[in-house]
mmCIF file of all heavy atoms in Angstrom:
data_model
loop_
_atom_site.group_PDB
_atom_site.id
_atom_site.type_symbol
_atom_site.label_atom_id
_atom_site.label_comp_id
_atom_site.label_asym_id
_atom_site.label_seq_id
_atom_site.Cartn_x
_atom_site.Cartn_y
_atom_site.Cartn_z
ATOM 1 N N PHE A 11 -65.437 -12.707 10.690
ATOM 2 C CA PHE A 11 -65.329 -12.411 9.260
ATOM 3 C C PHE A 11 -63.878 -12.355 8.838
ATOM 4 O O PHE A 11 -63.468 -12.930 7.848
ATOM 5 C CB PHE A 11 -65.959 -11.044 8.954
ATOM 6 C CG PHE A 11 -67.399 -11.166 8.632
ATOM 7 C CD1 PHE A 11 -68.357 -10.838 9.565
ATOM 8 C CD2 PHE A 11 -67.802 -11.620 7.402
ATOM 9 C CE1 PHE A 11 -69.694 -10.960 9.286
ATOM 10 C CE2 PHE A 11 -69.141 -11.749 7.110
ATOM 11 C CZ PHE A 11 -70.097 -11.422 8.061
ATOM 12 N N VAL A 278 -29.112 -21.524 -5.167
ATOM 13 C CA VAL A 278 -29.010 -21.773 -6.611
ATOM 14 C C VAL A 278 -29.747 -23.058 -6.995
ATOM 15 O O VAL A 278 -30.463 -23.096 -7.993
ATOM 16 C CB VAL A 278 -27.519 -21.865 -7.025
ATOM 17 C CG1 VAL A 278 -27.390 -22.255 -8.483
ATOM 18 C CG2 VAL A 278 -26.825 -20.541 -6.776
ATOM 19 N N ARG A 282 -32.774 -23.658 -9.722
ATOM 20 C CA ARG A 282 -32.528 -24.537 -10.860
ATOM 21 C C ARG A 282 -33.665 -25.557 -11.008
ATOM 22 O O ARG A 282 -34.153 -25.797 -12.114
ATOM 23 C CB ARG A 282 -31.198 -25.257 -10.647
ATOM 24 C CG ARG A 282 -30.901 -26.332 -11.639
ATOM 25 C CD ARG A 282 -29.635 -27.053 -11.241
ATOM 26 N NE ARG A 282 -29.329 -28.097 -12.205
ATOM 27 C CZ ARG A 282 -29.534 -29.389 -11.982
ATOM 28 N NH1 ARG A 282 -30.039 -29.790 -10.844
ATOM 29 N NH2 ARG A 282 -29.222 -30.276 -12.889
ATOM 30 N N HIS A 292 -42.973 -26.163 -20.723
ATOM 31 C CA HIS A 292 -42.933 -25.461 -22.011
ATOM 32 C C HIS A 292 -42.795 -26.475 -23.157
ATOM 33 O O HIS A 292 -43.461 -26.360 -24.180
ATOM 34 C CB HIS A 292 -41.752 -24.480 -22.027
ATOM 35 C CG HIS A 292 -41.495 -23.892 -23.379
ATOM 36 N ND1 HIS A 292 -42.233 -22.839 -23.875
ATOM 37 C CD2 HIS A 292 -40.613 -24.237 -24.350
ATOM 38 C CE1 HIS A 292 -41.795 -22.557 -25.094
ATOM 39 N NE2 HIS A 292 -40.816 -23.381 -25.404
ATOM 40 N N LEU A 299 -52.367 -26.025 -22.364
ATOM 41 C CA LEU A 299 -52.436 -24.834 -21.518
ATOM 42 C C LEU A 299 -53.816 -24.193 -21.445
ATOM 43 O O LEU A 299 -54.037 -23.288 -20.655
ATOM 44 C CB LEU A 299 -51.409 -23.786 -21.977
ATOM 45 C CG LEU A 299 -49.932 -24.122 -21.699
ATOM 46 C CD1 LEU A 299 -49.028 -23.057 -22.288
ATOM 47 C CD2 LEU A 299 -49.665 -24.245 -20.211
ATOM 48 N N HIS A 317 -47.102 -22.588 -9.792
ATOM 49 C CA HIS A 317 -46.883 -21.295 -10.431
ATOM 50 C C HIS A 317 -47.983 -20.296 -10.075
ATOM 51 O O HIS A 317 -47.734 -19.308 -9.408
ATOM 52 C CB HIS A 317 -46.762 -21.480 -11.947
ATOM 53 C CG HIS A 317 -46.219 -20.285 -12.664
ATOM 54 N ND1 HIS A 317 -46.982 -19.179 -12.938
ATOM 55 C CD2 HIS A 317 -44.988 -19.995 -13.142
ATOM 56 C CE1 HIS A 317 -46.245 -18.280 -13.556
ATOM 57 N NE2 HIS A 317 -45.031 -18.734 -13.696
ATOM 58 N N THR A 318 -49.223 -20.602 -10.486
ATOM 59 C CA THR A 318 -50.309 -19.625 -10.336
ATOM 60 C C THR A 318 -50.521 -19.197 -8.878
ATOM 61 O O THR A 318 -50.540 -18.003 -8.578
ATOM 62 C CB THR A 318 -51.625 -20.193 -10.905
ATOM 63 O OG1 THR A 318 -51.346 -20.772 -12.171
ATOM 64 C CG2 THR A 318 -52.674 -19.122 -11.049
ATOM 65 N N ARG A 336 -54.066 -0.321 7.877
ATOM 66 C CA ARG A 336 -55.389 0.264 7.667
ATOM 67 C C ARG A 336 -56.311 0.027 8.867
ATOM 68 O O ARG A 336 -55.938 0.207 9.986
ATOM 69 C CB ARG A 336 -56.004 -0.301 6.368
ATOM 70 C CG ARG A 336 -55.343 0.210 5.100
ATOM 71 C CD ARG A 336 -55.573 1.706 4.905
ATOM 72 N NE ARG A 336 -56.961 2.062 5.081
ATOM 73 C CZ ARG A 336 -57.863 2.074 4.129
ATOM 74 N NH1 ARG A 336 -57.530 1.760 2.906
ATOM 75 N NH2 ARG A 336 -59.095 2.417 4.381
ATOM 76 N N TYR A 338 -57.677 -2.691 10.356
ATOM 77 C CA TYR A 338 -57.783 -3.878 11.197
ATOM 78 C C TYR A 338 -56.829 -3.794 12.382
ATOM 79 O O TYR A 338 -55.674 -3.424 12.215
ATOM 80 C CB TYR A 338 -57.489 -5.136 10.378
ATOM 81 C CG TYR A 338 -58.634 -5.517 9.489
ATOM 82 C CD1 TYR A 338 -58.626 -5.176 8.142
ATOM 83 C CD2 TYR A 338 -59.733 -6.186 9.987
ATOM 84 C CE1 TYR A 338 -59.678 -5.499 7.311
ATOM 85 C CE2 TYR A 338 -60.797 -6.525 9.158
ATOM 86 C CZ TYR A 338 -60.765 -6.181 7.828
ATOM 87 O OH TYR A 338 -61.812 -6.502 7.020
ATOM 88 N N ILE A 404 -38.793 -18.794 -10.742
ATOM 89 C CA ILE A 404 -39.856 -18.454 -11.700
ATOM 90 C C ILE A 404 -39.545 -17.107 -12.359
ATOM 91 O O ILE A 404 -39.529 -16.984 -13.581
ATOM 92 C CB ILE A 404 -41.231 -18.386 -10.983
ATOM 93 C CG1 ILE A 404 -41.679 -19.775 -10.554
ATOM 94 C CG2 ILE A 404 -42.287 -17.740 -11.876
ATOM 95 C CD1 ILE A 404 -42.976 -19.812 -9.748
ATOM 96 N N ASN A 409 -37.365 -14.058 -19.724
ATOM 97 C CA ASN A 409 -36.548 -13.150 -20.552
ATOM 98 C C ASN A 409 -35.047 -13.320 -20.359
ATOM 99 O O ASN A 409 -34.299 -12.374 -20.514
ATOM 100 C CB ASN A 409 -36.867 -11.680 -20.234
ATOM 101 C CG ASN A 409 -38.261 -11.317 -20.660
ATOM 102 O OD1 ASN A 409 -38.851 -12.016 -21.476
ATOM 103 N ND2 ASN A 409 -38.793 -10.232 -20.113
ATOM 104 N N ARG A 410 -34.621 -14.502 -19.944
ATOM 105 C CA ARG A 410 -33.185 -14.627 -19.747
ATOM 106 C C ARG A 410 -32.464 -14.695 -21.095
ATOM 107 O O ARG A 410 -32.982 -15.241 -22.055
ATOM 108 C CB ARG A 410 -32.839 -15.834 -18.890
ATOM 109 C CG ARG A 410 -33.258 -17.170 -19.439
ATOM 110 C CD ARG A 410 -33.017 -18.210 -18.375
ATOM 111 N NE ARG A 410 -33.680 -19.448 -18.644
ATOM 112 C CZ ARG A 410 -33.066 -20.510 -19.158
ATOM 113 N NH1 ARG A 410 -31.792 -20.441 -19.485
ATOM 114 N NH2 ARG A 410 -33.714 -21.629 -19.363
ATOM 115 N N SER A 412 -29.297 -15.760 -23.703
ATOM 116 C CA SER A 412 -28.760 -17.090 -23.967
ATOM 117 C C SER A 412 -27.565 -17.400 -23.063
ATOM 118 O O SER A 412 -27.274 -18.545 -22.769
ATOM 119 C CB SER A 412 -28.363 -17.215 -25.422
ATOM 120 O OG SER A 412 -27.401 -16.239 -25.709
ATOM 121 N N LYS A 415 -26.995 -16.750 -16.433
ATOM 122 C CA LYS A 415 -26.359 -17.499 -15.348
ATOM 123 C C LYS A 415 -27.176 -17.318 -14.079
ATOM 124 O O LYS A 415 -27.787 -16.284 -13.878
ATOM 125 C CB LYS A 415 -24.950 -16.950 -15.102
ATOM 126 C CG LYS A 415 -23.969 -17.291 -16.196
ATOM 127 C CD LYS A 415 -22.644 -16.582 -15.959
ATOM 128 C CE LYS A 415 -21.594 -17.038 -16.942
ATOM 129 N NZ LYS A 415 -21.913 -16.724 -18.334
ATOM 130 N N ASP A 421 -23.011 -13.483 -4.771
ATOM 131 C CA ASP A 421 -22.723 -12.820 -6.062
ATOM 132 C C ASP A 421 -23.658 -11.627 -6.261
ATOM 133 O O ASP A 421 -23.238 -10.547 -6.692
ATOM 134 C CB ASP A 421 -22.964 -13.789 -7.235
ATOM 135 C CG ASP A 421 -22.039 -14.987 -7.186
ATOM 136 O OD1 ASP A 421 -20.929 -14.849 -6.650
ATOM 137 O OD2 ASP A 421 -22.457 -16.053 -7.676
ATOM 138 N N ASP A 433 -22.164 4.420 -8.148
ATOM 139 C CA ASP A 433 -23.027 5.604 -8.119
ATOM 140 C C ASP A 433 -22.413 6.675 -7.233
ATOM 141 O O ASP A 433 -22.392 7.859 -7.599
ATOM 142 C CB ASP A 433 -24.419 5.249 -7.578
ATOM 143 C CG ASP A 433 -25.232 4.477 -8.596
ATOM 144 O OD1 ASP A 433 -24.805 4.444 -9.769
ATOM 145 O OD2 ASP A 433 -26.272 3.900 -8.222
ATOM 146 N N TYR E 13 -34.536 4.302 -5.755
ATOM 147 C CA TYR E 13 -33.113 4.100 -6.016
ATOM 148 C C TYR E 13 -32.787 2.600 -6.026
ATOM 149 O O TYR E 13 -32.095 2.100 -6.924
ATOM 150 C CB TYR E 13 -32.262 4.830 -4.964
ATOM 151 C CG TYR E 13 -30.789 4.545 -5.132
ATOM 152 C CD1 TYR E 13 -30.094 5.023 -6.248
ATOM 153 C CD2 TYR E 13 -30.095 3.763 -4.213
ATOM 154 C CE1 TYR E 13 -28.754 4.730 -6.438
ATOM 155 C CE2 TYR E 13 -28.754 3.469 -4.387
ATOM 156 C CZ TYR E 13 -28.088 3.959 -5.506
ATOM 157 O OH TYR E 13 -26.766 3.661 -5.693
ATOM 158 N N ARG E 20 -30.480 -2.140 -13.007
ATOM 159 C CA ARG E 20 -29.169 -2.065 -13.655
ATOM 160 C C ARG E 20 -28.348 -3.337 -13.413
ATOM 161 O O ARG E 20 -27.562 -3.732 -14.261
ATOM 162 C CB ARG E 20 -28.403 -0.826 -13.162
ATOM 163 C CG ARG E 20 -28.928 0.467 -13.820
ATOM 164 C CD ARG E 20 -28.205 1.662 -13.293
ATOM 165 N NE ARG E 20 -28.604 1.976 -11.921
ATOM 166 C CZ ARG E 20 -27.836 2.618 -11.047
ATOM 167 N NH1 ARG E 20 -26.621 3.005 -11.383
ATOM 168 N NH2 ARG E 20 -28.277 2.887 -9.831
ATOM 169 N N PHE E 25 -35.474 -10.821 -9.946
ATOM 170 C CA PHE E 25 -36.402 -11.166 -8.871
ATOM 171 C C PHE E 25 -36.534 -10.028 -7.861
ATOM 172 O O PHE E 25 -37.641 -9.677 -7.452
ATOM 173 C CB PHE E 25 -35.962 -12.445 -8.146
ATOM 174 C CG PHE E 25 -36.807 -12.727 -6.936
ATOM 175 C CD1 PHE E 25 -38.107 -13.179 -7.074
ATOM 176 C CD2 PHE E 25 -36.330 -12.492 -5.651
ATOM 177 C CE1 PHE E 25 -38.910 -13.414 -5.964
ATOM 178 C CE2 PHE E 25 -37.121 -12.726 -4.535
ATOM 179 C CZ PHE E 25 -38.412 -13.184 -4.702
ATOM 180 N N THR E 43 -55.426 4.434 -0.569
ATOM 181 C CA THR E 43 -56.836 4.043 -0.824
ATOM 182 C C THR E 43 -57.863 4.992 -0.202
ATOM 183 O O THR E 43 -58.908 5.206 -0.820
ATOM 184 C CB THR E 43 -57.170 2.600 -0.369
ATOM 185 O OG1 THR E 43 -56.520 2.363 0.858
ATOM 186 C CG2 THR E 43 -56.790 1.578 -1.397
ATOM 187 N N GLU E 47 -61.233 5.346 -2.115
ATOM 188 C CA GLU E 47 -62.038 4.206 -1.665
ATOM 189 C C GLU E 47 -63.545 4.470 -1.829
ATOM 190 O O GLU E 47 -64.274 3.646 -2.382
ATOM 191 C CB GLU E 47 -61.702 3.953 -0.197
ATOM 192 C CG GLU E 47 -62.256 2.666 0.354
ATOM 193 C CD GLU E 47 -61.843 2.477 1.822
ATOM 194 O OE1 GLU E 47 -60.774 2.984 2.220
ATOM 195 O OE2 GLU E 47 -62.610 1.853 2.556
ATOM 196 N N GLU E 93 -62.745 -4.413 2.089
ATOM 197 C CA GLU E 93 -62.574 -5.792 1.640
ATOM 198 C C GLU E 93 -63.537 -6.163 0.525
ATOM 199 O O GLU E 93 -63.162 -6.837 -0.421
ATOM 200 C CB GLU E 93 -62.796 -6.714 2.835
ATOM 201 C CG GLU E 93 -61.547 -7.490 3.205
ATOM 202 C CD GLU E 93 -61.914 -8.667 4.053
ATOM 203 O OE1 GLU E 93 -62.261 -8.431 5.221
ATOM 204 O OE2 GLU E 93 -61.867 -9.789 3.540
ATOM 205 N N PRO E 111 -41.912 -9.537 -15.558
ATOM 206 C CA PRO E 111 -41.080 -9.227 -16.722
ATOM 207 C C PRO E 111 -41.464 -9.910 -18.034
ATOM 208 O O PRO E 111 -40.765 -9.731 -19.024
ATOM 209 C CB PRO E 111 -39.677 -9.678 -16.277
ATOM 210 C CG PRO E 111 -39.870 -10.576 -15.130
ATOM 211 C CD PRO E 111 -41.222 -10.358 -14.568
ATOM 212 N N SER E 157 -68.434 -14.719 3.579
ATOM 213 C CA SER E 157 -67.063 -15.153 3.839
ATOM 214 C C SER E 157 -66.713 -16.500 3.242
ATOM 215 O O SER E 157 -65.543 -16.829 3.137
ATOM 216 C CB SER E 157 -66.810 -15.199 5.346
ATOM 217 O OG SER E 157 -66.761 -13.883 5.822
ATOM 218 N N TYR E 173 -53.913 -17.403 -13.777
ATOM 219 C CA TYR E 173 -53.354 -18.485 -14.584
ATOM 220 C C TYR E 173 -53.112 -17.987 -16.015
ATOM 221 O O TYR E 173 -52.037 -18.192 -16.581
ATOM 222 C CB TYR E 173 -54.306 -19.699 -14.580
ATOM 223 C CG TYR E 173 -53.891 -20.744 -15.576
ATOM 224 C CD1 TYR E 173 -52.810 -21.575 -15.309
ATOM 225 C CD2 TYR E 173 -54.523 -20.861 -16.815
ATOM 226 C CE1 TYR E 173 -52.378 -22.502 -16.244
ATOM 227 C CE2 TYR E 173 -54.102 -21.784 -17.745
ATOM 228 C CZ TYR E 173 -53.029 -22.604 -17.454
ATOM 229 O OH TYR E 173 -52.597 -23.512 -18.393
ATOM 230 N N THR E 177 -49.246 -17.499 -15.547
ATOM 231 C CA THR E 177 -48.721 -18.849 -15.811
ATOM 232 C C THR E 177 -48.675 -19.170 -17.312
ATOM 233 O O THR E 177 -47.624 -19.534 -17.835
ATOM 234 C CB THR E 177 -49.580 -19.893 -15.068
ATOM 235 O OG1 THR E 177 -49.662 -19.492 -13.701
ATOM 236 C CG2 THR E 177 -48.967 -21.269 -15.154
ATOM 237 N N GLN E 180 -46.085 -17.172 -19.179
ATOM 238 C CA GLN E 180 -44.687 -17.550 -18.929
ATOM 239 C C GLN E 180 -44.331 -18.890 -19.577
ATOM 240 O O GLN E 180 -43.269 -19.024 -20.182
ATOM 241 C CB GLN E 180 -44.382 -17.611 -17.426
ATOM 242 C CG GLN E 180 -42.936 -18.055 -17.191
ATOM 243 C CD GLN E 180 -42.414 -17.801 -15.796
ATOM 244 O OE1 GLN E 180 -43.117 -17.275 -14.948
ATOM 245 N NE2 GLN E 180 -41.169 -18.170 -15.580
ATOM 246 N N ILE E 181 -45.216 -19.870 -19.452
ATOM 247 C CA ILE E 181 -44.902 -21.188 -20.028
ATOM 248 C C ILE E 181 -44.789 -21.065 -21.547
ATOM 249 O O ILE E 181 -43.949 -21.699 -22.175
ATOM 250 C CB ILE E 181 -45.983 -22.242 -19.642
ATOM 251 C CG1 ILE E 181 -46.036 -22.408 -18.119
ATOM 252 C CG2 ILE E 181 -45.710 -23.591 -20.303
ATOM 253 C CD1 ILE E 181 -44.771 -22.885 -17.451
ATOM 254 N N GLY E 187 -32.815 -24.374 -22.027
ATOM 255 C CA GLY E 187 -31.382 -24.606 -22.240
ATOM 256 C C GLY E 187 -30.515 -23.407 -21.942
ATOM 257 O O GLY E 187 -30.972 -22.413 -21.384
ATOM 258 N N ASN E 188 -29.227 -23.536 -22.294
ATOM 259 C CA ASN E 188 -28.230 -22.479 -22.068
ATOM 260 C C ASN E 188 -28.133 -22.053 -20.610
ATOM 261 O O ASN E 188 -28.011 -20.886 -20.292
ATOM 262 C CB ASN E 188 -28.543 -21.235 -22.900
ATOM 263 C CG ASN E 188 -28.305 -21.490 -24.358
ATOM 264 O OD1 ASN E 188 -27.297 -22.073 -24.730
ATOM 265 N ND2 ASN E 188 -29.255 -21.080 -25.171
ATOM 266 N N TYR E 191 -23.889 -21.686 -14.349
ATOM 267 C CA TYR E 191 -23.736 -21.068 -13.037
ATOM 268 C C TYR E 191 -22.527 -20.153 -13.053
ATOM 269 O O TYR E 191 -21.520 -20.488 -13.641
ATOM 270 C CB TYR E 191 -23.527 -22.127 -11.962
ATOM 271 C CG TYR E 191 -24.663 -23.075 -11.864
ATOM 272 C CD1 TYR E 191 -24.660 -24.250 -12.603
ATOM 273 C CD2 TYR E 191 -25.755 -22.792 -11.070
ATOM 274 C CE1 TYR E 191 -25.714 -25.129 -12.522
ATOM 275 C CE2 TYR E 191 -26.809 -23.663 -10.988
ATOM 276 C CZ TYR E 191 -26.781 -24.828 -11.716
ATOM 277 O OH TYR E 191 -27.828 -25.698 -11.635
ATOM 278 N N GLU E 192 -22.650 -19.040 -12.347
ATOM 279 C CA GLU E 192 -21.530 -18.114 -12.317
ATOM 280 C C GLU E 192 -20.429 -18.616 -11.383
ATOM 281 O O GLU E 192 -19.305 -18.850 -11.777
ATOM 282 C CB GLU E 192 -22.025 -16.733 -11.870
ATOM 283 C CG GLU E 192 -20.977 -15.652 -11.847
ATOM 284 C CD GLU E 192 -20.440 -15.354 -13.236
ATOM 285 O OE1 GLU E 192 -20.887 -15.961 -14.225
ATOM 286 O OE2 GLU E 192 -19.554 -14.522 -13.341
ATOM 287 N N SER E 193 -20.779 -18.823 -10.113
ATOM 288 C CA SER E 193 -19.714 -19.217 -9.200
ATOM 289 C C SER E 193 -20.000 -20.529 -8.510
ATOM 290 O O SER E 193 -19.214 -21.004 -7.720
ATOM 291 C CB SER E 193 -19.506 -18.125 -8.159
ATOM 292 O OG SER E 193 -20.673 -18.010 -7.400
#
Side-chain angles (χ1 to χ4, degrees):
Chain A
F11 270 103
V278 174
R282 172 186 180 256
H292 170 80
L299 289 176
H317 194 282
T318 314
R336 289 294 312 271
Y338 284 99
I404 290 176
N409 293 341
R410 61 188 165 100
S412 59
K415 289 174 173 63
D421 297 332
D433 286 347
Chain E
Y13 175 68
R20 283 178 287 154
F25 173 73
T43 40
E47 190 179 332
E93 244 198 287
S157 289
Y173 170 76
T177 308
Q180 178 165 0
I181 299 299
N188 290 315
Y191 300 91
E192 182 64 1
S193 64

